[in-house]
């Protein structure tokens, strides 16, 4: 089965621009999570979807970040406008149900100049 | 809140050396504990897990035992290989299912 895929693998944009990251979970996985790792620090939770509903968005840093999962399939994470501190690696993960391990994608490295 | 603390790296070892990467946690409930590994250029992969006290998770020669009395989940391997070079993340999942990670420990194994 195909794993979790993320697009793009690397994005370089200027401060103030908009960037949209995409995550395709494993087929059939209702749970989808976004995490990010900033500057070699710990990986931090951003939010959790169950199908198309936001189950927990307590980790979203501010209202410049918008996550969607229309139709309960793939998800997008938009950053608008991007700031320097948004640089980092954004990971997506999915699981079949909350008791199962989360499977991670390769991440999107976001660089804000 | 819940947290995970793991030893800073990098950890540098020669091939066939014994590996220990320390991990301790703080949690209000009874969390599940995980070790994830990130090989160069790849995403995070689940290495092993333990869901209750005294459970031992194992995979690819790596082991970790859930120690409730010391709130620890140290990762060990008896004989490391160059191919084990990666970043290792300790993590927990408590009553909700989001993962809380440590800062990661880079392991470098030289021939």
């Amino acid at each position: 089965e195909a794993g979790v895929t993320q697009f793009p693998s690397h994005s370089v944009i200027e401060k103030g621009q908009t960037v949209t990251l995409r995550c395709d979970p494993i087929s059939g996985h209702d749970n989808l999570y976004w995490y990010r790792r900033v500057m070699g620090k710990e990986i931090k939770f951003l939010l959790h979807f169950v199908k198309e509903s936001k189950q927990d968005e307590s980790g979203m840093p501010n209202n410049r970040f918008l996550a969607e999962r229309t139709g309960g399939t793939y998800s997008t994470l938009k950053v608008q406008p991007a700031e320097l501190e948004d640089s980092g690696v954004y990971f997506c993960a999915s699981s079949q149900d909350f008791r199962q391990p989360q499977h991670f994608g390769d991440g999107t490295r976001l660089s804000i100049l | 809140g819940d947290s995970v603390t793991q030893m800073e790296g990098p950890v540098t070892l020669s091939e066939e050396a014994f590996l220990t990467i320390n991990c301790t946690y703080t949690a209000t409930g009874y969390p599940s504990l995980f070790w994830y590994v990130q090989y160069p250029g790849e995403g995070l992969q689940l290495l092993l897990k333990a869901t209750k006290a005294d459970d031992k998770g194992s995979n690819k020669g790596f082991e970790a035992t859930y120690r409730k009395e010391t709130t620890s989940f140290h990762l060990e391997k008896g004989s490391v290989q160059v191919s084990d070079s990666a970043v290792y993340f300790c993590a927990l999942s408590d009553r909700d299912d989001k993962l809380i990670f440590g800062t990661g420990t880079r392991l470098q194994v030289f021939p």
Side-chain angles (χ1 to χ4, degrees):
Chain A
E1 85 187 340
V4 177
T5 52
Q6 294 187 242
F7 307 97
S9 57
H10 194 180
S11 180
V12 181
I13 63 171
E14 293 187 349
K15 175 183 171 181
Q17 290 185 322
T18 297
V19 62
T20 300
L21 314 180
R22 173 171 168 146
C23 169
D24 286 70
I26 293 171
S27 178
H29 282 195
D30 288 339
N31 293 273
L32 187 149
Y33 307 81
W34 284 98
Y35 296 85
R36 75 172 178 177
R37 188 182 191 208
V38 174
M39 287 294 292
K41 297 185 177 179
E42 69 269 29
I43 300 169
K44 286 196 171 180
F45 168 82
L46 295 178
L47 87 158
H48 170 206
F49 284 99
V50 177
K51 297 184 180 179
E52 66 275 11
S53 299
K54 292 176 184 175
Q55 181 78 10
D56 181 354
E57 51 184 331
S58 61
M60 294 288 266
N62 52 61
N63 59 11
R64 295 186 293 103
F65 289 75
L66 175 64
E68 295 181 324
R69 193 183 182 196
T70 306
T73 55
Y74 71 90
S75 174
T76 58
L77 179 65
K78 180 190 288 188
V79 185
Q80 180 182 27
E83 298 290 343
L84 297 178
E85 64 264 25
D86 301 332
S87 295
V89 181
Y90 289 76
F91 292 101
C92 176
S94 71
S95 68
Q96 199 161 26
D97 67 60
F98 72 93
R99 290 168 296 236
Q100 300 301 316
Q102 296 177 27
H103 299 263
F104 281 78
D106 288 349
T108 293
R109 181 173 296 278
L110 178 61
S111 300
I112 313 299
L113 305 179
Chain B
D2 295 355
S3 65
V4 174
T5 302
Q6 61 181 107
M7 63 189 291
E8 291 191 21
V11 173
T12 304
L13 296 173
S14 297
E15 209 165 24
E16 299 183 3
F18 184 85
L19 168 71
T20 300
I21 300 179
N22 290 335
C23 172
T24 57
Y25 68 89
T26 302
T28 52
Y30 300 93
S32 294
L33 302 175
F34 306 85
W35 278 100
Y36 279 84
V37 58
Q38 185 179 22
Y39 297 103
E42 299 183 15
L44 289 165
Q45 299 176 25
L46 177 65
L47 181 60
L48 53 84
K49 68 173 184 177
T51 57
K52 61 183 188 297
D54 299 325
D55 268 2
K56 177 185 284 188
S58 61
N59 186 24
K60 300 182 180 180
F62 291 89
E63 294 182 339
T65 301
Y66 189 141
R67 301 286 188 200
K68 188 170 183 295
E69 63 276 13
T70 54
T71 62
S72 65
F73 193 55
H74 304 319
L75 182 68
E76 297 181 335
K77 187 174 185 182
S79 175
V80 293
Q81 306 300 312
V82 173
S83 58
D84 294 326
S85 297
V87 181
Y88 293 80
F89 294 90
C90 185
L92 69 80
S93 176
D94 207 337
R95 290 157 295 178
D96 52 34
D97 48 349
K98 64 187 179 191
L99 289 167
I100 296 172
F101 287 90
T103 53
T105 302
R106 180 175 298 279
L107 170 65
Q108 297 174 322
V109 181
F110 294 95

